[in-house]
Amino acid sequence: MAVIAQKCPHIKVTVVDLNEARIAAWNDPDTENIPVYEPGLSTVVAEARGRNLFFSTEVDKAIDEAEMIFISVNTPTKTYGTGKGMAADLKYIELCARQIARVAKDDKIVVEKSTLPVRTAEAVKNILQNTGNGVNYQILSNPEFLAEGTAVEDLHAPDRVLIGGDTTPEGQEALNALVEVYANWVPRERILTTNLWSSELSKLTANAFLAQRVSSINALSELCERTGADVTEVARSIGTDSRIGPKFLKASVGFGGSCFQKDILNLVYIARSYGLKEVADYWEQVIIMNDHQKSRFANNIVKTLYNTVSGKKIAFLGWAFKKDTNDTRESAAIYVADALLNEEAGIAVYDPKVPESQVFFDLDYLGTRSPEKNKQLVTNFTDPYEACKDAHAIAILTEWDEFKTYDWQRIFDNMKKPAFVFDGRSIVDSAALTDIGFKVYTIGK
Ligand SMILES: NC(=O)c1ccc[n+]([C@@H]2O[C@H](COP(=O)([O-])OP(=O)(O)OC[C@H]3O[C@@H](n4cnc5c(N)ncnc54)[C@H](O)[C@@H]3O)[C@@H](O)[C@H]2O)c1
């Protein structure tokens, strides 16, 4: 929404949220303090905020004033009832639809921006059209393909924008209204239009394919370790095949983030609910492989440290699920830490953008042990050298660029010996570290 406001000064954009603290942070006079860390985002907000971009908790007022409403609320995996652990929880979507139905007095275009199961638009339409107050609604699907860490760049120059709408003349008119918004900065040939159901399913499919590539190369990484092949070389060789392409072929400790797992589980659930067992099982394997990669990384640390990490200090470099974001949702670090804490390891966390409170929130959320126990075993540091001091091992969980340029000799000198580095993102120069004296484990080598 910030980028739409930046690129369309003639359109007034109001972002509303029930969460007062979050809105207050978006209104912080210093745009460096906005709640999402993304390269370039604070500049975009600084340019548009107060001009045609506003952040507010007055949801009813914003609905009343708007011609077009983007529903962008969270759609987490259900934690209760039918579909628990698989299906998308659509209660926040439904609440939005009901609120729009209650407040709206004139015709609205309602845009699904959240990632939704195929055919959700039907439910939204039903709720909106059964209010009987004479308001006409058009529902569009406009899934978001940005990647965290490069969100602003992705929004400024998207590979494509996808908009789905009804095939009726009214549906097409609404669809064109949204095309005109994006056409302010996106070349028209990159704005794809389709029907509602194809648009909804395309988003789940895109995430499933991306996650599948990560799990595919990760599956091969384990085979590389056993056979003497090098996964980086394998990825380079296959990536030059134009049918395969080089992106998303980096072996790692596993994918995280709020979307991949949730969206695949959702896809699996939908397939299963139509009785498509083989389709569901096929995609579920992407998640199974990802979980395996995280636990195998943790097990390898325990095994290498002479089968016990109890009372040992293990330094975690990185907690965010990827570099250039402060988002930690489903981060591999959380699950690797949890496995090591079960073995009574002491963990020292350093991440350049993630605060201590978030680390404890993530661990406590799992409910594996008491918050007191987590506090006892985990310490957060704002200085990476302090985090690594007296550690038996370092585990690299996020690919932050700064890790590459540390004074590794200094780190080595202050660690317990033998000093181990487990590089879950293949980012440090393993030959240089080995020369210093480290024992280095890199995934897929
Ligand atoms: N994060 C991403 O990179 C990304 C990318 C593409 C798509 N998506 C999709 O976008 C959606 C949102 O993701 P997110 O990461 O921004 O989630 P989020 O949890 O960070 O944000 C959702 C916000 O919605 C607010 N909210 C919930 N119910 C509300 C209501 N009734 N009225 C007003 N505000 C309400 C919450 O307070 C919260 O601040 C999800 O469906 C996700 O799958 C996210």
Side-chain angles (χ1 to χ4, degrees):
M1 291 303 117
V3 168
I4 290 181
Q6 180 197 31
K7 297 291 185 184
C8 313
H10 57 290
I11 298 176
K12 180 182 174 192
V13 178
T14 309
V15 178
V16 287
D17 200 298
L18 301 174
N19 185 332
E20 288 181 15
R22 224 171 187 190
I23 290 298
W26 281 107
N27 281 321
D28 193 299
D30 181 354
T31 50
E32 293 304 321
N33 295 334
I34 56 175
V36 171
Y37 173 71
E38 275 293 333
L41 181 57
S42 60
T43 317
V44 175
V45 171
E47 184 184 327
R49 198 177 62 184
R51 180 188 70 188
N52 63 325
L53 174 65
F54 303 91
F55 296 92
S56 157
T57 50
E58 292 184 280
V59 184
D60 282 0
K61 181 164 177 277
I63 292 173
D64 182 35
E65 289 175 359
E67 290 163 83
M68 196 180 270
I69 302 168
F70 290 75
I71 301 184
S72 318
V73 298
N74 39 329
T75 49
T77 306
K78 260 186 103 177
T79 53
Y80 54 88
T82 310
K84 179 180 172 179
M86 301 288 282
D89 191 343
L90 298 180
K91 75 176 166 204
Y92 305 105
I93 297 286
E94 179 167 344
L95 283 170
C96 284
R98 289 189 185 279
Q99 189 162 7
I100 295 168
R102 178 171 57 73
V103 173
K105 296 196 280 288
D106 50 13
D107 296 353
K108 309 279 185 203
I109 297 172
V110 175
V111 185
E112 298 177 342
K113 178 54 94 176
S114 301
T115 302
L116 294 169
V118 56
R119 298 205 82 87
T120 304
E122 202 159 56
V124 172
K125 207 182 292 180
N126 260 317
I127 293 166
L128 291 173
Q129 282 173 350
N130 281 299
T131 54
N133 60 358
V135 174
N136 292 310
Y137 295 97
Q138 282 302 323
I139 320 295
L140 300 177
S141 160
N142 173 217
E144 185 48 63
F145 294 104
L146 66 81
E148 291 187 26
T150 51
V152 173
E153 215 177 290
D154 296 343
L155 291 163
H156 280 163
D159 287 344
R160 59 17 189 133
V161 166
L162 181 63
I163 306 172
D166 265 345
T167 46
T168 58
E170 301 78 23
Q172 292 300 300
E173 196 185 323
L175 193 144
N176 286 332
L178 186 52
V179 169
E180 289 310 317
V181 173
Y182 284 106
N184 282 291
W185 79 98
V186 180
R188 280 183 192 265
E189 65 274 15
R190 294 199 174 196
I191 305 176
L192 312 182
T193 57
T194 178
N195 70 37
L196 274 169
W197 323 128
S198 303
S199 173
E200 287 177 334
L201 189 56
S202 295
K203 173 62 190 174
L204 296 184
T205 307
N207 275 353
F209 269 60
L210 291 169
Q212 181 202 38
R213 277 175 78 98
V214 178
S215 278
S216 295
I217 200 70
N218 281 345
L220 270 312
S221 74
E222 190 169 13
L223 190 58
C224 285
E225 289 169 27
R226 299 295 169 88
T227 56
D230 178 334
V231 76
T232 320
E233 294 299 308
V234 175
R236 189 163 64 101
S237 313
I238 65 165
T240 49
D241 184 327
S242 61
R243 294 167 302 175
I244 298 173
K247 292 184 180 166
F248 264 69
L249 284 182
K250 187 143 194 226
S252 71
V253 58
F255 60 76
S258 64
C259 294
F260 280 3
Q261 174 163 315
K262 153 176 96 66
D263 293 348
I264 294 178
L265 288 172
N266 189 350
L267 189 66
V268 170
Y269 182 76
I270 294 168
R272 236 170 235 150
S273 69
Y274 284 106
L276 309 178
K277 182 181 175 305
E278 289 76 9
V279 178
D281 290 352
Y282 175 78
W283 286 109
E284 191 167 30
Q285 198 60 33
V286 174
I287 304 285
I288 293 170
M289 188 63 226
N290 196 50
D291 288 341
H292 171 66
Q293 192 76 345
K294 291 180 277 190
S295 56
R296 149 177 127 73
F297 186 78
N299 291 342
N300 184 43
I301 294 178
V302 177
K303 200 173 77 194
T304 309
L305 295 186
Y306 315 107
N307 287 312
T308 176
V309 288
S310 175
K312 290 181 179 168
K313 177 178 176 182
I314 299 173
F316 270 40
L317 292 182
W319 191 264
F321 86 92
K322 68 193 286 197
K323 74 170 179 178
D324 293 337
T325 176
N326 58 352
D327 196 343
T328 65
R329 290 176 289 182
E330 295 298 332
S331 178
I334 303 169
Y335 297 94
V336 173
D338 194 50
L340 296 175
L341 293 172
N342 282 341
E343 297 290 329
E344 307 250 307
I347 295 183
V349 180
Y350 166 77
D351 186 289
K353 289 290 172 195
V354 178
E356 172 177 282
S357 55
Q358 186 63 45
V359 173
F360 285 119
F361 175 87
D362 293 336
L363 288 171
D364 294 347
Y365 185 78
L366 295 179
T368 315
R369 65 194 70 71
S370 69
E372 292 71 34
K373 187 79 181 166
N374 282 330
K375 283 243 153 52
Q376 190 191 321
L377 293 172
V378 180
T379 318
N380 287 268
F381 290 83
T382 50
D383 176 351
Y385 295 96
E386 285 301 313
C388 297
K389 197 170 167 202
D390 292 323
H392 293 78
I394 294 171
I396 302 176
L397 275 309
T398 313
E399 69 280 23
W400 287 104
D401 289 332
E402 64 175 60
F403 299 162
K404 295 183 205 166
T405 54
Y406 284 174
D407 180 349
W408 284 96
Q409 181 69 54
R410 178 179 157 201
I411 291 174
F412 178 79
D413 292 343
N414 290 322
M415 279 178 69
K416 295 256 192 291
K417 307 296 177 322
F420 294 94
V421 169
F422 297 89
D423 186 355
R425 300 283 166 186
S426 302
I427 62 153
V428 291
D429 180 344
S430 59
L433 263 61
T434 306
D435 283 348
I436 291 173
F438 282 104
K439 303 225 173 293
V440 185
Y441 161 80
T442 311
I443 285 184
K445 295 199 184 198

